[in-house]
Amino acid sequence: MDEALPLMQAGQLLARGVSRHLLSHNFTSLEEFVPERGKRVDVMALGPKGEIWVIECKSSREDFMADHKWQGYLEWCDRFFWAVDDQFPLELLPDETGLIMADAYGAEVVRMGPESKLAPARRKKITLKFARDVALRHQRLRDPRL
């Protein structure tokens, strides 16, 4: 068993499996991405053609019911998805959103979220922020005292 797993919370385990799956489709992802102050998405994914997806990971009914910000994430992506495990009550999730079934080791897209293309200026802004955040995280790994 992976020793790092017990240190991760349920939503983080889902994000790990989602990120693994997305990489197999040539999407890079960043967990806990902040597109703007006051918003933090669980997973932001950047596709090979520049497409941007947001994936919110929900580990329980209570976790979903406590999320009142998710609609504010729609303006930051081309597609929006929920990622849940096989125990999650699927009837809670809006039909007009994407659905990913996940666990700590992988995932499967069950329903594609509808596409809503970002405006070019918004796409450029979010792509640059994504790239800078990835670079800063990488730099902090190499130089923790930064």
Side-chain angles (χ1 to χ4, degrees), residues 13-18 20 84-86 101-108:
L13 294 171
L14 292 173
R16 177 182 187 249
V18 166
R20 283 181 165 193
V84 299
D85 67 16
D86 60 359
M101 298 301 294
D103 62 21
Y105 300 97
E108 179 182 348

Side-chain angles (χ1 to χ4, degrees), residues 20-117:
R20 283 181 165 193
H21 176 73
L22 292 172
L23 188 57
S24 73
H25 293 284
N26 205 18
F27 276 74
T28 59
S29 60
L30 188 58
E31 294 178 31
E32 298 187 11
F33 178 74
V34 178
E36 69 176 355
R37 181 181 271 184
K39 291 184 171 71
R40 185 199 52 78
V41 301
D42 293 331
V43 179
M44 174 75 74
L46 180 62
K49 297 178 183 175
E51 56 268 56
I52 297 172
W53 291 1
V54 165
I55 302 95
E56 280 296 294
C57 301
K58 297 299 169 196
S59 59
S60 67
R61 171 186 294 274
E62 296 74 24
D63 187 16
F64 176 79
M65 299 305 281
D67 187 342
H68 304 290
K69 295 183 181 181
W70 73 270
Q71 291 181 338
Y73 303 149
L74 299 175
E75 64 190 85
W76 295 98
C77 61
D78 296 311
R79 292 187 194 270
F80 178 88
F81 296 84
W82 297 105
V84 299
D85 67 16
D86 60 359
Q87 301 300 309
F88 189 89
L90 298 179
E91 65 276 3
L92 295 177
L93 302 175
D95 290 335
E96 66 277 4
T97 57
L99 174 60
I100 298 174
M101 298 301 294
D103 62 21
Y105 300 97
E108 179 182 348
V109 175
V110 174
R111 179 177 67 227
M112 288 296 283
E115 187 174 54
S116 178
K117 290 274 190 183

Side-chain angles (χ1 to χ4, degrees), residues 30 33 46 126-137:
L30 188 58
F33 178 74
L46 180 62
I126 201 74
T127 302
L128 287 174
K129 184 163 187 336
F130 184 97
R132 289 184 52 79
D133 284 10
V134 169
L136 284 170
R137 288 186 192 186

Side-chain angles (χ1 to χ4, degrees), residues 1-6 105:
M1 181 170 193
D2 191 336
E3 292 182 23
L5 292 183
Y105 300 97

